[in-house]
Amino acid sequence: MTKRIEVVGAALLRDDRVFAAKRGPMKSMAGYWEFPGGKVEAGETPQEALVRELREELRIETRVGEFLTTTAHDTGSGIIELSTYLCELIAGSPVLTEHSESRWIPVSELAGLEWAPADIPTVELLQERFA
């Protein structure tokens, strides 16, 4: 049976920009851009996992808003099921602990980055809604 990994991602919006983070060199899919987040642990809701992951990875406090989409991507060793939510930054400034780079990028320019495959449908959805 194929292993399924439930993960969450945050589309952090500020004005007409979205926060994007580049996966660090020691991570799988290193060098690809993503919406930050991570794995949902046992006993957590997706929203709780997202708040925790953003606190751990970026040292920020967020409010999870509207669900955007769930995508699936087969990595060869398992299937990542990524649920992405619109989020609001409520405290702090992102501090990179696991990523090599970050940007607040205009929605209209999102397609110019090399996104992790599971994040591409969210990029397209954001461009349809906000560009």
PDB file of all heavy atoms in Angstrom, residues 8-36:
ATOM      1  N   VAL A   8       0.057  20.428   5.271  1.00  0.00           N
ATOM      2  CA  VAL A   8      -0.685  21.669   5.110  1.00  0.00           C
ATOM      3  C   VAL A   8       0.267  22.768   4.675  1.00  0.00           C
ATOM      4  O   VAL A   8       1.462  22.742   4.985  1.00  0.00           O
ATOM      5  CB  VAL A   8      -1.406  22.070   6.408  1.00  0.00           C
ATOM      6  CG1 VAL A   8      -2.605  21.167   6.666  1.00  0.00           C
ATOM      7  CG2 VAL A   8      -0.462  22.045   7.606  1.00  0.00           C
ATOM      8  N   GLY A   9      -0.274  23.736   3.954  1.00  0.00           N
ATOM      9  CA  GLY A   9       0.519  24.872   3.502  1.00  0.00           C
ATOM     10  C   GLY A   9      -0.254  26.161   3.702  1.00  0.00           C
ATOM     11  O   GLY A   9      -1.490  26.170   3.704  1.00  0.00           O
ATOM     12  N   ALA A  10       0.485  27.260   3.864  1.00  0.00           N
ATOM     13  CA  ALA A  10      -0.106  28.571   4.110  1.00  0.00           C
ATOM     14  C   ALA A  10       0.158  29.511   2.957  1.00  0.00           C
ATOM     15  O   ALA A  10       1.312  29.752   2.600  1.00  0.00           O
ATOM     16  CB  ALA A  10       0.477  29.171   5.389  1.00  0.00           C
ATOM     17  N   ALA A  11      -0.906  30.038   2.394  1.00  0.00           N
ATOM     18  CA  ALA A  11      -0.791  31.134   1.439  1.00  0.00           C
ATOM     19  C   ALA A  11      -0.969  32.411   2.261  1.00  0.00           C
ATOM     20  O   ALA A  11      -2.085  32.861   2.504  1.00  0.00           O
ATOM     21  CB  ALA A  11      -1.840  31.018   0.351  1.00  0.00           C
ATOM     22  N   LEU A  12       0.166  32.921   2.759  1.00  0.00           N
ATOM     23  CA  LEU A  12       0.159  34.142   3.565  1.00  0.00           C
ATOM     24  C   LEU A  12       0.054  35.341   2.635  1.00  0.00           C
ATOM     25  O   LEU A  12       0.921  35.543   1.781  1.00  0.00           O
ATOM     26  CB  LEU A  12       1.445  34.256   4.373  1.00  0.00           C
ATOM     27  CG  LEU A  12       1.601  33.326   5.553  1.00  0.00           C
ATOM     28  CD1 LEU A  12       3.061  33.215   5.964  1.00  0.00           C
ATOM     29  CD2 LEU A  12       0.764  33.819   6.714  1.00  0.00           C
ATOM     30  N   LEU A  13      -1.008  36.111   2.788  1.00  0.00           N
ATOM     31  CA  LEU A  13      -1.225  37.268   1.922  1.00  0.00           C
ATOM     32  C   LEU A  13      -0.968  38.555   2.690  1.00  0.00           C
ATOM     33  O   LEU A  13      -1.360  38.686   3.848  1.00  0.00           O
ATOM     34  CB  LEU A  13      -2.663  37.290   1.410  1.00  0.00           C
ATOM     35  CG  LEU A  13      -3.080  36.159   0.480  1.00  0.00           C
ATOM     36  CD1 LEU A  13      -4.550  36.269   0.137  1.00  0.00           C
ATOM     37  CD2 LEU A  13      -2.245  36.159  -0.781  1.00  0.00           C
ATOM     38  N   ARG A  14      -0.306  39.492   2.029  1.00  0.00           N
ATOM     39  CA  ARG A  14      -0.101  40.837   2.569  1.00  0.00           C
ATOM     40  C   ARG A  14      -0.181  41.785   1.391  1.00  0.00           C
ATOM     41  O   ARG A  14       0.651  41.717   0.480  1.00  0.00           O
ATOM     42  CB  ARG A  14       1.245  40.934   3.269  1.00  0.00           C
ATOM     43  CG  ARG A  14       1.466  42.297   3.911  1.00  0.00           C
ATOM     44  CD  ARG A  14       2.680  42.328   4.797  1.00  0.00           C
ATOM     45  NE  ARG A  14       3.886  42.236   3.979  1.00  0.00           N
ATOM     46  CZ  ARG A  14       5.106  42.066   4.493  1.00  0.00           C
ATOM     47  NH1 ARG A  14       5.266  41.923   5.784  1.00  0.00           N
ATOM     48  NH2 ARG A  14       6.147  42.021   3.697  1.00  0.00           N
ATOM     49  N   ASP A  15      -1.182  42.641   1.416  1.00  0.00           N
ATOM     50  CA  ASP A  15      -1.459  43.539   0.292  1.00  0.00           C
ATOM     51  C   ASP A  15      -1.668  42.678  -0.958  1.00  0.00           C
ATOM     52  O   ASP A  15      -2.479  41.778  -0.951  1.00  0.00           O
ATOM     53  CB  ASP A  15      -0.343  44.573   0.122  1.00  0.00           C
ATOM     54  CG  ASP A  15      -0.147  45.409   1.390  1.00  0.00           C
ATOM     55  OD1 ASP A  15      -1.166  45.761   2.022  1.00  0.00           O
ATOM     56  OD2 ASP A  15       1.003  45.685   1.751  1.00  0.00           O
ATOM     57  N   ASP A  16      -0.899  42.910  -2.009  1.00  0.00           N
ATOM     58  CA  ASP A  16      -1.054  42.103  -3.230  1.00  0.00           C
ATOM     59  C   ASP A  16       0.074  41.084  -3.357  1.00  0.00           C
ATOM     60  O   ASP A  16       0.384  40.624  -4.442  1.00  0.00           O
ATOM     61  CB  ASP A  16      -1.087  43.012  -4.465  1.00  0.00           C
ATOM     62  CG  ASP A  16       0.245  43.708  -4.715  1.00  0.00           C
ATOM     63  OD1 ASP A  16       1.051  43.833  -3.753  1.00  0.00           O
ATOM     64  OD2 ASP A  16       0.501  44.112  -5.863  1.00  0.00           O
ATOM     65  N   ARG A  17       0.674  40.733  -2.226  1.00  0.00           N
ATOM     66  CA  ARG A  17       1.821  39.827  -2.245  1.00  0.00           C
ATOM     67  C   ARG A  17       1.548  38.566  -1.431  1.00  0.00           C
ATOM     68  O   ARG A  17       0.783  38.576  -0.491  1.00  0.00           O
ATOM     69  CB  ARG A  17       3.067  40.530  -1.699  1.00  0.00           C
ATOM     70  CG  ARG A  17       3.492  41.701  -2.557  1.00  0.00           C
ATOM     71  CD  ARG A  17       4.660  42.469  -1.956  1.00  0.00           C
ATOM     72  NE  ARG A  17       4.993  43.603  -2.776  1.00  0.00           N
ATOM     73  CZ  ARG A  17       5.851  43.578  -3.773  1.00  0.00           C
ATOM     74  NH1 ARG A  17       6.485  42.472  -4.082  1.00  0.00           N
ATOM     75  NH2 ARG A  17       6.091  44.660  -4.484  1.00  0.00           N
ATOM     76  N   VAL A  18       2.253  37.502  -1.829  1.00  0.00           N
ATOM     77  CA  VAL A  18       2.146  36.205  -1.163  1.00  0.00           C
ATOM     78  C   VAL A  18       3.545  35.807  -0.687  1.00  0.00           C
ATOM     79  O   VAL A  18       4.524  36.018  -1.406  1.00  0.00           O
ATOM     80  CB  VAL A  18       1.594  35.125  -2.122  1.00  0.00           C
ATOM     81  CG1 VAL A  18       1.505  33.772  -1.436  1.00  0.00           C
ATOM     82  CG2 VAL A  18       0.240  35.524  -2.667  1.00  0.00           C
ATOM     83  N   PHE A  19       3.621  35.216   0.492  1.00  0.00           N
ATOM     84  CA  PHE A  19       4.900  34.769   1.030  1.00  0.00           C
ATOM     85  C   PHE A  19       5.263  33.424   0.410  1.00  0.00           C
ATOM     86  O   PHE A  19       4.481  32.474   0.453  1.00  0.00           O
ATOM     87  CB  PHE A  19       4.821  34.635   2.554  1.00  0.00           C
ATOM     88  CG  PHE A  19       6.137  34.300   3.188  1.00  0.00           C
ATOM     89  CD1 PHE A  19       7.079  35.284   3.417  1.00  0.00           C
ATOM     90  CD2 PHE A  19       6.438  32.992   3.545  1.00  0.00           C
ATOM     91  CE1 PHE A  19       8.308  34.978   4.003  1.00  0.00           C
ATOM     92  CE2 PHE A  19       7.647  32.674   4.131  1.00  0.00           C
ATOM     93  CZ  PHE A  19       8.588  33.667   4.363  1.00  0.00           C
ATOM     94  N   ALA A  20       6.446  33.342  -0.161  1.00  0.00           N
ATOM     95  CA  ALA A  20       6.966  32.109  -0.747  1.00  0.00           C
ATOM     96  C   ALA A  20       8.302  31.783  -0.087  1.00  0.00           C
ATOM     97  O   ALA A  20       9.081  32.688   0.212  1.00  0.00           O
ATOM     98  CB  ALA A  20       7.160  32.268  -2.251  1.00  0.00           C
ATOM     99  N   ALA A  21       8.549  30.496   0.149  1.00  0.00           N
ATOM    100  CA  ALA A  21       9.792  30.063   0.792  1.00  0.00           C
ATOM    101  C   ALA A  21      10.458  28.993  -0.067  1.00  0.00           C
ATOM    102  O   ALA A  21       9.788  28.111  -0.609  1.00  0.00           O
ATOM    103  CB  ALA A  21       9.502  29.519   2.185  1.00  0.00           C
ATOM    104  N   LYS A  22      11.775  29.075  -0.183  1.00  0.00           N
ATOM    105  CA  LYS A  22      12.550  28.119  -0.977  1.00  0.00           C
ATOM    106  C   LYS A  22      13.073  27.021  -0.062  1.00  0.00           C
ATOM    107  O   LYS A  22      13.698  27.296   0.962  1.00  0.00           O
ATOM    108  CB  LYS A  22      13.723  28.841  -1.648  1.00  0.00           C
ATOM    109  CG  LYS A  22      14.405  28.047  -2.718  1.00  0.00           C
ATOM    110  CD  LYS A  22      15.456  28.930  -3.389  1.00  0.00           C
ATOM    111  CE  LYS A  22      15.836  28.386  -4.735  1.00  0.00           C
ATOM    112  NZ  LYS A  22      16.829  29.256  -5.394  1.00  0.00           N
ATOM    113  N   ARG A  23      12.810  25.780  -0.442  1.00  0.00           N
ATOM    114  CA  ARG A  23      13.211  24.638   0.381  1.00  0.00           C
ATOM    115  C   ARG A  23      14.733  24.580   0.521  1.00  0.00           C
ATOM    116  O   ARG A  23      15.459  24.767  -0.440  1.00  0.00           O
ATOM    117  CB  ARG A  23      12.671  23.342  -0.208  1.00  0.00           C
ATOM    118  CG  ARG A  23      11.128  23.306  -0.147  1.00  0.00           C
ATOM    119  CD  ARG A  23      10.551  22.022  -0.648  1.00  0.00           C
ATOM    120  NE  ARG A  23      10.961  20.876   0.136  1.00  0.00           N
ATOM    121  CZ  ARG A  23      10.422  20.486   1.293  1.00  0.00           C
ATOM    122  NH1 ARG A  23       9.453  21.189   1.831  1.00  0.00           N
ATOM    123  NH2 ARG A  23      10.844  19.414   1.908  1.00  0.00           N
ATOM    124  N   GLY A  24      15.181  24.347   1.752  1.00  0.00           N
ATOM    125  CA  GLY A  24      16.601  24.323   2.057  1.00  0.00           C
ATOM    126  C   GLY A  24      17.327  23.143   1.438  1.00  0.00           C
ATOM    127  O   GLY A  24      16.711  22.157   1.019  1.00  0.00           O
ATOM    128  N   PRO A  25      18.659  23.207   1.395  1.00  0.00           N
ATOM    129  CA  PRO A  25      19.465  22.194   0.707  1.00  0.00           C
ATOM    130  C   PRO A  25      19.410  20.799   1.341  1.00  0.00           C
ATOM    131  O   PRO A  25      19.702  19.828   0.667  1.00  0.00           O
ATOM    132  CB  PRO A  25      20.884  22.765   0.767  1.00  0.00           C
ATOM    133  CG  PRO A  25      20.872  23.732   1.891  1.00  0.00           C
ATOM    134  CD  PRO A  25      19.481  24.278   1.958  1.00  0.00           C
ATOM    135  N   MET A  26      19.026  20.683   2.586  1.00  0.00           N
ATOM    136  CA  MET A  26      18.986  19.372   3.236  1.00  0.00           C
ATOM    137  C   MET A  26      17.600  18.732   3.188  1.00  0.00           C
ATOM    138  O   MET A  26      17.382  17.675   3.744  1.00  0.00           O
ATOM    139  CB  MET A  26      19.449  19.492   4.693  1.00  0.00           C
ATOM    140  CG  MET A  26      20.835  20.119   4.842  1.00  0.00           C
ATOM    141  SD  MET A  26      22.111  19.339   3.822  1.00  0.00           S
ATOM    142  CE  MET A  26      22.350  17.832   4.728  1.00  0.00           C
ATOM    143  N   LYS A  27      16.648  19.370   2.520  1.00  0.00           N
ATOM    144  CA  LYS A  27      15.271  18.884   2.443  1.00  0.00           C
ATOM    145  C   LYS A  27      15.026  18.162   1.123  1.00  0.00           C
ATOM    146  O   LYS A  27      15.708  18.401   0.138  1.00  0.00           O
ATOM    147  CB  LYS A  27      14.298  20.075   2.528  1.00  0.00           C
ATOM    148  CG  LYS A  27      14.353  20.818   3.837  1.00  0.00           C
ATOM    149  CD  LYS A  27      13.646  20.010   4.870  1.00  0.00           C
ATOM    150  CE  LYS A  27      13.521  20.747   6.174  1.00  0.00           C
ATOM    151  NZ  LYS A  27      12.881  19.940   7.164  1.00  0.00           N
ATOM    152  N   SER A  28      14.023  17.285   1.127  1.00  0.00           N
ATOM    153  CA  SER A  28      13.594  16.729  -0.157  1.00  0.00           C
ATOM    154  C   SER A  28      13.044  17.878  -0.991  1.00  0.00           C
ATOM    155  O   SER A  28      12.563  18.872  -0.449  1.00  0.00           O
ATOM    156  CB  SER A  28      12.524  15.649   0.054  1.00  0.00           C
ATOM    157  OG  SER A  28      11.349  16.218   0.576  1.00  0.00           O
ATOM    158  N   MET A  29      13.143  17.788  -2.273  1.00  0.00           N
ATOM    159  CA  MET A  29      12.707  18.838  -3.194  1.00  0.00           C
ATOM    160  C   MET A  29      13.465  20.150  -2.937  1.00  0.00           C
ATOM    161  O   MET A  29      12.932  21.239  -3.098  1.00  0.00           O
ATOM    162  CB  MET A  29      11.196  19.071  -3.102  1.00  0.00           C
ATOM    163  CG  MET A  29      10.333  17.839  -3.242  1.00  0.00           C
ATOM    164  SD  MET A  29      10.032  17.259  -4.913  1.00  0.00           S
ATOM    165  CE  MET A  29       9.408  18.646  -5.733  1.00  0.00           C
ATOM    166  N   ALA A  30      14.715  20.040  -2.521  1.00  0.00           N
ATOM    167  CA  ALA A  30      15.539  21.216  -2.239  1.00  0.00           C
ATOM    168  C   ALA A  30      15.571  22.152  -3.446  1.00  0.00           C
ATOM    169  O   ALA A  30      15.653  21.706  -4.587  1.00  0.00           O
ATOM    170  CB  ALA A  30      16.955  20.787  -1.874  1.00  0.00           C
ATOM    171  N   GLY A  31      15.490  23.444  -3.154  1.00  0.00           N
ATOM    172  CA  GLY A  31      15.570  24.444  -4.203  1.00  0.00           C
ATOM    173  C   GLY A  31      14.238  24.831  -4.813  1.00  0.00           C
ATOM    174  O   GLY A  31      14.152  25.834  -5.520  1.00  0.00           O
ATOM    175  N   TYR A  32      13.193  24.052  -4.546  1.00  0.00           N
ATOM    176  CA  TYR A  32      11.873  24.409  -5.053  1.00  0.00           C
ATOM    177  C   TYR A  32      11.198  25.370  -4.085  1.00  0.00           C
ATOM    178  O   TYR A  32      11.409  25.313  -2.871  1.00  0.00           O
ATOM    179  CB  TYR A  32      10.988  23.165  -5.201  1.00  0.00           C
ATOM    180  CG  TYR A  32      11.302  22.335  -6.411  1.00  0.00           C
ATOM    181  CD1 TYR A  32      12.183  21.269  -6.326  1.00  0.00           C
ATOM    182  CD2 TYR A  32      10.697  22.604  -7.633  1.00  0.00           C
ATOM    183  CE1 TYR A  32      12.477  20.488  -7.437  1.00  0.00           C
ATOM    184  CE2 TYR A  32      10.983  21.824  -8.753  1.00  0.00           C
ATOM    185  CZ  TYR A  32      11.869  20.770  -8.637  1.00  0.00           C
ATOM    186  OH  TYR A  32      12.149  20.009  -9.740  1.00  0.00           O
ATOM    187  N   TRP A  33      10.355  26.234  -4.621  1.00  0.00           N
ATOM    188  CA  TRP A  33       9.580  27.164  -3.814  1.00  0.00           C
ATOM    189  C   TRP A  33       8.312  26.470  -3.331  1.00  0.00           C
ATOM    190  O   TRP A  33       7.797  25.577  -3.999  1.00  0.00           O
ATOM    191  CB  TRP A  33       9.247  28.409  -4.626  1.00  0.00           C
ATOM    192  CG  TRP A  33      10.460  29.231  -4.887  1.00  0.00           C
ATOM    193  CD1 TRP A  33      11.341  29.085  -5.924  1.00  0.00           C
ATOM    194  CD2 TRP A  33      10.959  30.290  -4.083  1.00  0.00           C
ATOM    195  NE1 TRP A  33      12.359  29.997  -5.800  1.00  0.00           N
ATOM    196  CE2 TRP A  33      12.150  30.760  -4.687  1.00  0.00           C
ATOM    197  CE3 TRP A  33      10.526  30.903  -2.912  1.00  0.00           C
ATOM    198  CZ2 TRP A  33      12.898  31.803  -4.163  1.00  0.00           C
ATOM    199  CZ3 TRP A  33      11.268  31.949  -2.392  1.00  0.00           C
ATOM    200  CH2 TRP A  33      12.435  32.391  -3.016  1.00  0.00           C
ATOM    201  N   GLU A  34       7.835  26.910  -2.167  1.00  0.00           N
ATOM    202  CA  GLU A  34       6.633  26.317  -1.595  1.00  0.00           C
ATOM    203  C   GLU A  34       5.899  27.343  -0.746  1.00  0.00           C
ATOM    204  O   GLU A  34       6.454  28.380  -0.388  1.00  0.00           O
ATOM    205  CB  GLU A  34       6.977  25.106  -0.736  1.00  0.00           C
ATOM    206  CG  GLU A  34       7.736  25.446   0.536  1.00  0.00           C
ATOM    207  CD  GLU A  34       8.001  24.236   1.428  1.00  0.00           C
ATOM    208  OE1 GLU A  34       7.556  23.128   1.094  1.00  0.00           O
ATOM    209  OE2 GLU A  34       8.655  24.427   2.458  1.00  0.00           O
ATOM    210  N   PHE A  35       4.662  26.995  -0.427  1.00  0.00           N
ATOM    211  CA  PHE A  35       3.917  27.704   0.594  1.00  0.00           C
ATOM    212  C   PHE A  35       4.279  26.998   1.897  1.00  0.00           C
ATOM    213  O   PHE A  35       4.129  25.790   2.005  1.00  0.00           O
ATOM    214  CB  PHE A  35       2.420  27.639   0.322  1.00  0.00           C
ATOM    215  CG  PHE A  35       2.053  28.298  -0.988  1.00  0.00           C
ATOM    216  CD1 PHE A  35       1.712  27.542  -2.087  1.00  0.00           C
ATOM    217  CD2 PHE A  35       2.071  29.684  -1.110  1.00  0.00           C
ATOM    218  CE1 PHE A  35       1.395  28.145  -3.300  1.00  0.00           C
ATOM    219  CE2 PHE A  35       1.762  30.294  -2.316  1.00  0.00           C
ATOM    220  CZ  PHE A  35       1.421  29.522  -3.412  1.00  0.00           C
ATOM    221  N   PRO A  36       4.808  27.722   2.877  1.00  0.00           N
ATOM    222  CA  PRO A  36       5.323  27.058   4.076  1.00  0.00           C
ATOM    223  C   PRO A  36       4.234  26.323   4.843  1.00  0.00           C
ATOM    224  O   PRO A  36       3.057  26.669   4.782  1.00  0.00           O
ATOM    225  CB  PRO A  36       5.896  28.209   4.902  1.00  0.00           C
ATOM    226  CG  PRO A  36       5.203  29.424   4.408  1.00  0.00           C
ATOM    227  CD  PRO A  36       4.902  29.181   2.962  1.00  0.00           C
TER     228      PRO A  36
END
